[in-house]
Amino acid sequence: MLTIFGTVALDTTRTPFHTVERTLGGTATFASISASNSTPTSLIGIVGHDFPESYLQLLKDRLDIRGLTISQTEKTFHYDSSFGYDLAKRTTNKTELNVIANYQFTVPEEYIDSEFVYLANNDPVQNMNILKLFSSPKLVICDTMDFWIINKRDDVMKLINKVDGIMLNESEAKLLFKETSTLKCARLLVSNGPSFAVINKGENGSLLFHNNEFYPLPAFPTEIIKDPTGAGDSFGGAFMGYLSQQEKWDSMTLKNAMIYGNIMGSFTIEDYGIQRLVSVKAEDIKKRHQKYKEIFTF
Ligand code: AMP
């Protein structure tokens, strides 16, 4: 069983072409919808009294949401960000933690023996606390971002030490170690505990570091880019979803998982919020997988 913990958010996203206000987002939302294409996925998170019923239904249709709490007193986590013409660069306008600020998460009885746990980007202290509540997960992967690196760096480092794999985007990895080389960052991440690190580089693909080897993989080429929000989480969810279906996690398996990560990330950026991700069919994934192999086999 795969359980994903992270934020379930209302996102306001501004691009030079369009603004979407309070649309469904959050790291656990993107990651778990993406993962659910390869395996049944359970979600742990919290939303507030302002969370629309239609979003709740959308999650319910795709996921096991027995781990989703609805607060009657506080508002949903809200993230407001902008992109310029270079959609690779995001500016955070506002992070309103609201309901997630002081919430003590619990793991529902039915999820405790989850073999696979994905700790999507969230407060690293909450991530560490919730991890202790699972009985004996076989594989744990976490993600983090600049907000937590800036505000709780020591806790981010402690969390990284407790997981089997870490995913980060390039600028965040560089911020974490005050380093300019992505390769060095990947090595530093692994020297801190996990057996592998994946660094995402947007349209420049992603880098895996495992067993002292670097494996750079290209992104799936798509000309449609509307909103990159959630691409990293969609990558992470698909990566974890694939790994949860495998017997071992050697370099070859990790590389194959990255291909699915790249493909799901490529869908997410094609529309605002989760719009494209929720319309993806098994056949679409299969087609991009075939295409990916065709393009990159020589
Ligand atoms: P990504 O574009 O993959 O890095 O993640 C985008 C998602 O992260 C958005 O849907 C936001 O709701 C969520 N998010 C933004 N800031 C934070 C934060 N500080 N902690 C957890 N989730 C966040």
Side-chain angles (χ1 to χ4, degrees):
M1 174 179 186
L2 168 60
T3 296
I4 295 187
F5 173 60
T7 50
V8 179
L10 294 176
D11 284 350
T12 296
T13 306
R14 304 160 199 275
T15 76
F17 309 100
H18 190 56
T19 293
V20 281
E21 286 189 52
R22 296 186 180 269
T23 191
L24 177 58
T27 56
T29 305
F30 285 104
S32 51
I33 293 175
S34 178
S36 69
N37 284 288
S38 44
T39 189
T41 306
S42 309
L43 173 72
I44 301 180
I46 184 164
V47 293
H49 53 78
D50 55 344
F51 194 70
E53 185 57 38
S54 58
Y55 291 168
L56 203 56
Q57 193 55 48
L58 186 151
L59 296 175
K60 212 183 260 175
D61 290 345
R62 290 164 177 81
L63 309 164
D64 177 342
I65 60 162
R66 283 175 292 180
L68 184 69
T69 302
I70 304 169
S71 162
Q72 297 309 326
T73 52
E74 287 183 89
K75 283 179 153 182
T76 305
F77 173 78
H78 176 229
Y79 181 62
D80 185 323
S81 69
S82 305
F83 294 90
Y85 286 98
D86 176 3
L87 289 177
K89 220 175 160 313
R90 173 167 61 199
T91 305
T92 296
N93 305 321
K94 237 189 298 174
T95 302
E96 293 171 328
L97 297 177
N98 297 333
V99 82
I100 72 159
N102 299 307
Y103 189 66
Q104 292 299 315
F105 286 90
T106 53
V107 176
E109 192 67 31
E110 300 85 353
Y111 296 8
I112 283 181
D113 59 356
S114 295
E115 293 173 307
F116 301 93
V117 176
Y118 186 79
L119 302 169
N121 169 34
N122 200 356
D123 183 331
V125 177
Q126 288 185 1
N127 271 346
M128 277 188 286
N129 287 342
I130 205 155
L131 185 54
K132 290 184 201 144
L133 304 177
F134 290 94
S135 56
S136 51
K138 284 205 238 166
L139 186 72
V140 181
I141 299 181
C142 79
D143 186 0
T144 189
M145 79 184 290
D146 49 3
F147 182 86
W148 303 112
I149 295 170
I150 292 163
N151 294 303
K152 295 194 177 182
R153 186 184 185 278
D154 289 352
D155 294 311
V156 168
M157 292 306 286
K158 279 189 210 150
L159 170 67
I160 294 173
N161 182 256
K162 299 261 176 299
V163 298
D164 303 297
I166 162 85
M167 321 210 51
L168 265 185
N169 85 24
E170 191 177 22
S171 64
E172 288 153 1
K174 289 177 177 170
L175 175 72
L176 183 65
F177 295 112
K178 303 210 168 8
E179 252 300 338
T180 49
S181 155
T182 312
L183 301 188
K184 273 198 188 151
C185 289
R187 191 180 283 286
L188 284 166
L189 285 165
V190 165
S191 69
N192 197 58
S195 63
F196 63 86
V198 175
I199 299 188
N200 283 319
K201 303 189 287 175
E203 66 178 342
N204 296 320
S206 44
L207 173 81
L208 166 70
F209 183 64
H210 180 239
N211 275 348
N212 215 21
E213 289 288 350
F214 294 106
Y215 303 96
L217 259 82
F220 183 89
T222 173
E223 288 179 77
I224 313 161
I225 307 183
K226 288 191 182 164
D227 173 15
T229 308
D233 308 307
S234 307
F235 182 114
F239 181 82
M240 187 64 168
Y242 177 82
L243 292 181
S244 74
Q245 300 302 296
Q246 310 305 312
E247 299 294 318
K248 53 181 187 205
W249 306 292
D250 55 10
S251 299
M252 186 58 87
T253 313
L254 293 170
K255 279 190 279 180
N256 277 310
M258 284 173 73
I259 297 177
Y260 284 100
N262 274 306
I263 289 171
M264 294 314 292
S266 77
F267 284 121
T268 293
I269 64 175
E270 288 180 348
D271 210 339
Y272 291 88
I274 55 148
Q275 278 183 68
R276 180 69 181 104
L277 189 61
V278 292
S279 69
V280 173
K281 307 260 177 315
E283 193 51 33
D284 303 328
I285 301 173
K286 208 166 145 199
K287 271 195 201 146
R288 285 205 178 177
H289 193 260
Q290 267 162 7
K291 187 79 188 160
Y292 193 98
K293 280 186 157 167
E294 259 170 56
I295 300 173
F296 299 116
T297 305
F298 46 86

